Amino acid sequence: MTDKDFSPSGYTIDKTEGKVTYKSPSNIALVKYWGKRQHQIPANPSISFTLDTCTTTTTLTYKKLDNRSTDFSFDLLFEGKPKEDFKPKISTFFKRTEPYLPFLKNYHFSIETSNSFPHSSGIASSASGMSALALCLMELERELNPGMDSNFFKKKASFLARLGSGSACRSIEGDLMQWGDHKDTLNSSDLYAIKYPYKVHPIFKNYQDTILLVDKGSKEVSSSLGHNLMHDHPFAEQRFDQAHKNLSKLKSIFEEGNLLEFIKIVESEALTLHAMMMTSMPYFMLMKPNTLEIISKIWAFRASSKTHVCFTLDAGANVHVLYPEKEKEKVYQFISNELVAYCENGQYICDQIGKGAKKL
Ligand code: PMV
């Protein structure tokens, strides 16, 4: 498919007003997306676990205008209150998606959104937020074009979410999502994410993710800035190549349930992501001393307990602690005894792999 396939040729129904609500999850990448080309095309393919508990719920109320407006007409409530500083991101999203949603200027939209996790937790809400909004808009498009096929609906929702925030395209479905062209993954695309199409061992079902909130402050360097610094990065080509290779290696790891090899790839990907930040120009560091304390505790506990606990990081200081469900009791004990002390105000979130977004 090309982006042209997402431009509708016309609509069969006229819809004057309505309301739709979606709850969409966040996701955590195992092979990381870091670096992009124009139009939110990823520099390398990535794969993620869709989460379950960390979600954004968005209600979109739409009302047709008497005359098509010259600009996008919308208001935004975040957790019940007007939120002016979120509006530029939504305007950019509307601008980027308008060629594929030509009805946008025909309506006034009220967007009401809230997160299941505290806003100041350092957890990025862009994946859950942009995917929820993309799904609400797709629901309106389906009203205008009732014959729409459900596979196309999901693909286009992912395509639109990508234009809001790259990683958001992996939040539409679960439980394992891949985004980006990859020679060893059938039907993979730079334009949208797909459900991982190969066999996955039951050990990866219900995988646990305990998110340790090490630093709840807002990010010092935005991910868009970080992605841009990959353009003239001295290690960019090797890094992109490594991501392709790691995805190929994961195929037999997922099939066989090889946790030792899984851990190697996941932890190496997390550290490589941060290594890219530390070796860009300007260089920056998002890990905090407590991030490193937690990592070394995890390594020591894994060696002594013979469990398969491991960590990954996103673009921040928080640590995602990953482990199979059957080791939950042991690992949870370890987390509460040894790791919670490194979290800001002792805060953490217990999450697990989820099935994707839901219409409410
Ligand atoms: O979706 P963005 O542009 O916020 O980038 C997210 C990048 C990482 O979270 C660091 C990695 C990933 O693949 O999700």
Short mmCIF file of all heavy atoms in Angstrom, two decimals, residues 46-48 174-178 182 184-186 193-200 247-255:
data_model
loop_
_atom_site.label_atom_id
_atom_site.label_comp_id
_atom_site.label_asym_id
_atom_site.label_seq_id
_atom_site.Cartn_x
_atom_site.Cartn_y
_atom_site.Cartn_z
N SER A 46 10.70 -1.37 14.20
CA SER A 46 10.65 -1.54 15.67
C SER A 46 9.54 -2.52 16.02
O SER A 46 8.66 -2.79 15.20
CB SER A 46 10.39 -0.19 16.33
OG SER A 46 9.18 0.37 15.87
N ILE A 47 9.60 -3.02 17.26
CA ILE A 47 8.55 -3.95 17.72
C ILE A 47 8.26 -3.64 19.17
O ILE A 47 9.17 -3.27 19.93
CB ILE A 47 8.98 -5.42 17.49
CG1 ILE A 47 7.81 -6.37 17.72
CG2 ILE A 47 10.17 -5.83 18.37
CD1 ILE A 47 8.03 -7.76 17.14
N SER A 48 6.99 -3.77 19.57
CA SER A 48 6.65 -3.42 20.96
C SER A 48 5.58 -4.33 21.53
O SER A 48 4.80 -4.94 20.81
CB SER A 48 6.14 -1.97 21.02
OG SER A 48 5.10 -1.77 20.10
N GLY A 174 -2.93 -5.32 19.79
CA GLY A 174 -1.95 -5.97 20.65
C GLY A 174 -1.71 -7.36 20.10
O GLY A 174 -2.24 -7.69 19.04
N ASP A 175 -0.96 -8.20 20.74
CA ASP A 175 -0.20 -7.82 21.91
C ASP A 175 1.25 -7.51 21.57
O ASP A 175 1.99 -6.94 22.38
CB ASP A 175 -0.30 -8.91 22.98
CG ASP A 175 -0.23 -10.32 22.38
OD1 ASP A 175 0.03 -10.45 21.16
OD2 ASP A 175 -0.41 -11.30 23.11
N LEU A 176 1.63 -7.91 20.34
CA LEU A 176 2.99 -7.65 19.87
C LEU A 176 2.85 -6.97 18.51
O LEU A 176 2.23 -7.52 17.61
CB LEU A 176 3.68 -9.01 19.74
CG LEU A 176 5.19 -9.11 19.68
CD1 LEU A 176 5.86 -8.32 20.77
CD2 LEU A 176 5.60 -10.57 19.78
N MET A 177 3.39 -5.75 18.38
CA MET A 177 3.16 -4.98 17.16
C MET A 177 4.48 -4.58 16.50
O MET A 177 5.41 -4.14 17.19
CB MET A 177 2.38 -3.70 17.50
CG MET A 177 1.01 -3.92 18.10
SD MET A 177 -0.14 -4.73 16.97
CE MET A 177 -0.45 -3.43 15.78
N GLN A 178 4.52 -4.73 15.20
CA GLN A 178 5.73 -4.34 14.47
C GLN A 178 5.43 -3.22 13.49
O GLN A 178 4.42 -3.23 12.79
CB GLN A 178 6.30 -5.56 13.73
CG GLN A 178 7.63 -5.19 13.08
CD GLN A 178 8.30 -6.36 12.42
OE1 GLN A 178 8.23 -7.48 12.89
NE2 GLN A 178 8.95 -6.08 11.30
N HIS A 182 10.67 -4.43 6.90
CA HIS A 182 11.71 -5.35 7.35
C HIS A 182 11.67 -6.57 6.44
O HIS A 182 10.61 -7.18 6.28
CB HIS A 182 11.43 -5.74 8.82
CG HIS A 182 12.40 -6.71 9.38
ND1 HIS A 182 12.02 -7.93 9.88
CD2 HIS A 182 13.75 -6.65 9.49
CE1 HIS A 182 13.10 -8.57 10.29
NE2 HIS A 182 14.15 -7.82 10.06
N ASP A 184 12.49 -9.59 6.57
CA ASP A 184 12.08 -10.90 7.08
C ASP A 184 10.67 -10.90 7.69
O ASP A 184 10.27 -11.89 8.29
CB ASP A 184 13.08 -11.39 8.15
CG ASP A 184 14.44 -11.69 7.55
OD1 ASP A 184 14.50 -11.95 6.33
OD2 ASP A 184 15.44 -11.66 8.28
N THR A 185 9.96 -9.80 7.60
CA THR A 185 8.60 -9.77 8.17
C THR A 185 7.59 -9.47 7.07
O THR A 185 7.54 -8.36 6.53
CB THR A 185 8.47 -8.71 9.30
OG1 THR A 185 9.57 -8.87 10.19
CG2 THR A 185 7.17 -8.88 10.06
N LEU A 186 6.79 -10.49 6.80
CA LEU A 186 5.79 -10.40 5.74
C LEU A 186 4.82 -9.25 6.02
O LEU A 186 4.36 -9.10 7.15
CB LEU A 186 5.02 -11.74 5.73
CG LEU A 186 4.30 -12.10 4.45
CD1 LEU A 186 5.30 -12.33 3.32
CD2 LEU A 186 3.45 -13.35 4.68
N ALA A 193 1.61 0.04 11.59
CA ALA A 193 2.09 -1.15 12.31
C ALA A 193 1.19 -2.34 11.99
O ALA A 193 0.02 -2.18 11.63
CB ALA A 193 2.08 -0.87 13.80
N ILE A 194 1.77 -3.52 12.12
CA ILE A 194 0.98 -4.75 11.92
C ILE A 194 1.13 -5.62 13.18
O ILE A 194 2.10 -5.50 13.92
CB ILE A 194 1.46 -5.56 10.68
CG1 ILE A 194 2.96 -5.92 10.81
CG2 ILE A 194 1.18 -4.81 9.40
CD1 ILE A 194 3.43 -6.96 9.81
N LYS A 195 0.16 -6.51 13.36
CA LYS A 195 0.30 -7.49 14.44
C LYS A 195 1.43 -8.41 14.04
O LYS A 195 1.51 -8.82 12.87
CB LYS A 195 -0.99 -8.31 14.53
CG LYS A 195 -1.98 -7.80 15.55
CD LYS A 195 -3.29 -8.52 15.36
CE LYS A 195 -3.46 -9.58 16.41
NZ LYS A 195 -4.39 -9.17 17.46
N TYR A 196 2.30 -8.76 14.98
CA TYR A 196 3.43 -9.63 14.66
C TYR A 196 2.90 -10.92 14.03
O TYR A 196 2.08 -11.62 14.63
CB TYR A 196 4.23 -9.92 15.93
CG TYR A 196 5.52 -10.64 15.65
CD1 TYR A 196 6.53 -10.02 14.92
CD2 TYR A 196 5.71 -11.94 16.10
CE1 TYR A 196 7.71 -10.69 14.65
CE2 TYR A 196 6.90 -12.61 15.83
CZ TYR A 196 7.89 -11.97 15.10
OH TYR A 196 9.06 -12.63 14.84
N PRO A 197 3.34 -11.24 12.79
CA PRO A 197 2.65 -12.30 12.05
C PRO A 197 3.16 -13.73 12.31
O PRO A 197 2.66 -14.65 11.69
CB PRO A 197 2.88 -11.90 10.59
CG PRO A 197 4.19 -11.18 10.60
CD PRO A 197 4.31 -10.52 11.94
N TYR A 198 4.16 -13.90 13.17
CA TYR A 198 4.72 -15.25 13.35
C TYR A 198 4.37 -15.82 14.70
O TYR A 198 3.79 -15.16 15.55
CB TYR A 198 6.24 -15.19 13.12
CG TYR A 198 6.56 -14.65 11.75
CD1 TYR A 198 7.21 -13.43 11.58
CD2 TYR A 198 6.14 -15.35 10.61
CE1 TYR A 198 7.46 -12.91 10.32
CE2 TYR A 198 6.38 -14.83 9.34
CZ TYR A 198 7.04 -13.62 9.20
OH TYR A 198 7.26 -13.11 7.95
N LYS A 199 4.78 -17.09 14.87
CA LYS A 199 4.43 -17.83 16.08
C LYS A 199 5.11 -17.20 17.31
O LYS A 199 6.29 -16.85 17.25
CB LYS A 199 4.91 -19.27 15.91
CG LYS A 199 3.90 -20.27 16.42
CD LYS A 199 4.26 -21.67 16.03
CE LYS A 199 4.20 -22.50 17.30
NZ LYS A 199 4.86 -23.79 17.14
N VAL A 200 4.35 -17.08 18.38
CA VAL A 200 4.91 -16.55 19.63
C VAL A 200 4.64 -17.56 20.75
O VAL A 200 3.50 -17.97 20.97
CB VAL A 200 4.31 -15.17 19.98
CG1 VAL A 200 4.88 -14.65 21.29
CG2 VAL A 200 4.58 -14.16 18.86
N LEU A 247 15.59 -7.66 14.90
CA LEU A 247 14.24 -8.12 14.58
C LEU A 247 14.27 -9.51 13.94
O LEU A 247 13.43 -10.36 14.23
CB LEU A 247 13.58 -7.15 13.61
CG LEU A 247 12.60 -6.18 14.24
CD1 LEU A 247 12.14 -5.16 13.23
CD2 LEU A 247 11.39 -6.93 14.79
N SER A 248 15.25 -9.72 13.07
CA SER A 248 15.36 -11.05 12.43
C SER A 248 15.65 -12.10 13.50
O SER A 248 15.08 -13.19 13.49
CB SER A 248 16.48 -11.06 11.39
OG SER A 248 16.18 -10.12 10.39
N LYS A 249 16.55 -11.77 14.44
CA LYS A 249 16.90 -12.74 15.48
C LYS A 249 15.69 -13.06 16.37
O LYS A 249 15.56 -14.17 16.86
CB LYS A 249 18.01 -12.16 16.39
CG LYS A 249 19.38 -12.15 15.75
CD LYS A 249 20.40 -11.71 16.81
CE LYS A 249 21.70 -11.29 16.17
NZ LYS A 249 22.49 -10.40 17.04
N LEU A 250 14.84 -12.08 16.58
CA LEU A 250 13.70 -12.29 17.49
C LEU A 250 12.73 -13.34 16.97
O LEU A 250 12.00 -13.95 17.76
CB LEU A 250 12.95 -10.96 17.72
CG LEU A 250 13.53 -10.05 18.80
CD1 LEU A 250 12.81 -8.70 18.82
CD2 LEU A 250 13.42 -10.68 20.20
N LYS A 251 12.75 -13.59 15.67
CA LYS A 251 11.77 -14.53 15.11
C LYS A 251 11.87 -15.90 15.78
O LYS A 251 10.87 -16.42 16.29
CB LYS A 251 11.99 -14.63 13.60
CG LYS A 251 10.80 -15.21 12.88
CD LYS A 251 10.95 -15.06 11.39
CE LYS A 251 9.94 -15.94 10.70
NZ LYS A 251 10.20 -16.07 9.27
N SER A 252 13.06 -16.48 15.83
CA SER A 252 13.17 -17.81 16.46
C SER A 252 13.09 -17.69 17.98
O SER A 252 12.62 -18.60 18.66
CB SER A 252 14.45 -18.51 16.01
OG SER A 252 15.55 -17.73 16.44
N ILE A 253 13.51 -16.57 18.53
CA ILE A 253 13.43 -16.37 20.00
C ILE A 253 11.97 -16.38 20.45
O ILE A 253 11.60 -17.03 21.42
CB ILE A 253 14.12 -15.04 20.38
CG1 ILE A 253 15.63 -15.15 20.10
CG2 ILE A 253 13.82 -14.64 21.81
CD1 ILE A 253 16.40 -13.86 20.26
N PHE A 254 11.13 -15.67 19.71
CA PHE A 254 9.70 -15.65 20.04
C PHE A 254 9.10 -17.04 19.86
O PHE A 254 8.29 -17.49 20.66
CB PHE A 254 8.94 -14.65 19.16
CG PHE A 254 9.06 -13.22 19.61
CD1 PHE A 254 9.30 -12.19 18.70
CD2 PHE A 254 8.93 -12.88 20.96
CE1 PHE A 254 9.39 -10.86 19.12
CE2 PHE A 254 9.02 -11.55 21.39
CZ PHE A 254 9.26 -10.55 20.46
N GLU A 255 9.49 -17.70 18.79
CA GLU A 255 8.89 -19.00 18.50
C GLU A 255 9.26 -20.03 19.58
O GLU A 255 8.42 -20.77 20.08
CB GLU A 255 9.35 -19.47 17.12
CG GLU A 255 8.66 -20.75 16.74
CD GLU A 255 8.90 -21.15 15.29
OE1 GLU A 255 9.33 -20.29 14.49
OE2 GLU A 255 8.65 -22.33 15.00
#
